[in-house]
Amino acid sequence: MKNRPHDTIETLGDLEAGSRYLAEIEPRFDFALKLTGALPHRRRKDGFEALLDMIVSQQVSVAAGDAIWARILNAGLNNQQRVCGATDEEFRQCGLSRQKIRYARALAESDIDYDSLRGLPDSEVVALLTKVTGIGRWTAEIYAMFALGRRDVFAAGDLALQESARLLFGLTDRPSESELRTLAEPWSPWRAVAARLLWAYYRIEKKKEGIR
């Protein structure tokens, strides 16, 4: 079954609708929204470049990810064909580790049909992407959220989301991925908006960005 239009976040109006819903069902979200104000859209164009950018962002700070990605763009290594033909040294000069170089090549050599992903259910998008070496559940869910605009995907493995949830919900310890997924279940069908709100709250509490 293909995702219906209302399963995606297409406009700021969609974000506002999701924000209102979350504020109504959870007082802590209402509190957070009063601090953060309107949430950013964060929608990106889908395709190879977006997914490569997300691979680059794995397990590095936002600042480091921005710096590496800027060097990749400057070197023209954001193109699938160019990645296939680039040398290890070209990648290293951009700041990619040996592991990330392997992941970038695996993505470039994969046969992902990016157009077809737009019509697949969320679970199938994640299942298909995670077959590629270097793409774990976090990367696949971030792609579904920001490149495909899915409104009910939630990247519970994200450390900034876990820490933000700990702060906002007054938890003693930072929740694990499985614990955060359980906590987020009542936020459906707007879990992607809840994630945006938690990242925005994280930025206020920690004085730094939690997501690129």
Side-chain angles (χ1 to χ4, degrees):
M1 182 178 68
K2 293 185 177 182
N3 281 75
R4 302 179 300 278
H6 60 268
D7 290 329
T8 58
I9 298 169
E10 300 294 339
T11 66
L12 290 175
D14 294 332
L15 275 175
E16 292 170 1
S19 298
R20 286 195 302 270
Y21 174 84
L22 292 169
E24 288 171 359
I25 67 166
E26 174 52 67
R28 294 176 185 86
F29 282 141
D30 185 48
F31 166 78
L33 274 168
K34 287 181 171 64
L35 295 177
T36 66
L39 302 176
H41 197 194
R42 291 189 179 274
R43 186 70 181 269
R44 308 180 189 179
K45 183 179 179 181
D46 62 334
F48 171 81
E49 182 174 329
L51 194 48
L52 178 63
D53 187 2
M54 292 166 191
I55 288 174
V56 167
S57 298
Q58 293 173 355
Q59 298 178 324
V60 297
S61 68
V62 172
D66 284 341
I68 295 170
W69 186 247
R71 290 194 289 269
I72 286 174
L73 292 177
N74 188 57
L77 289 174
N78 55 316
N79 175 276
Q80 189 166 1
Q81 185 175 1
R82 181 80 172 83
V83 169
C84 287
T87 65
D88 284 3
E89 181 57 27
E90 287 178 286
F91 285 118
R92 281 195 292 268
Q93 288 178 358
C94 293
L96 287 186
S97 65
R98 180 182 302 177
Q99 187 178 56
K100 290 283 183 73
I101 293 170
R102 184 164 64 92
Y103 293 169
R105 287 206 175 100
L107 176 64
E109 294 166 1
S110 70
D111 58 355
I112 296 173
D113 183 344
Y114 293 98
D115 290 342
S116 72
L117 291 179
R118 299 170 188 165
L120 294 179
D122 301 335
S123 59
E124 291 186 26
V125 170
V126 172
L128 192 153
L129 291 180
T130 52
K131 290 179 180 179
V132 179
T133 299
I135 299 180
R137 186 168 183 177
W138 178 88
T139 304
E141 289 177 333
I142 293 294
Y143 184 85
M145 291 169 66
F146 294 132
L148 299 178
R150 301 302 172 84
R151 77 173 191 177
D152 201 32
V153 174
F154 187 86
D158 187 88
L159 294 181
L161 287 183
Q162 293 171 7
E163 177 63 10
S164 184
R166 183 189 71 81
L167 293 168
L168 183 60
F169 286 83
L171 306 177
T172 302
D173 300 308
R174 191 166 67 192
S176 66
E177 179 175 350
S178 61
E179 289 170 341
L180 186 54
R181 287 195 190 281
T182 299
L183 181 66
E185 285 175 2
W187 309 338
S188 181
W190 290 104
R191 282 177 286 193
V193 178
R196 285 166 170 79
L197 177 52
L198 286 171
W199 275 313
Y201 184 70
Y202 179 90
R203 184 177 65 249
I204 290 173
E205 288 292 324
K206 294 291 188 175
K207 304 297 187 292
K208 61 182 180 180
E209 293 289 344
I211 190 73
R212 287 188 66 218

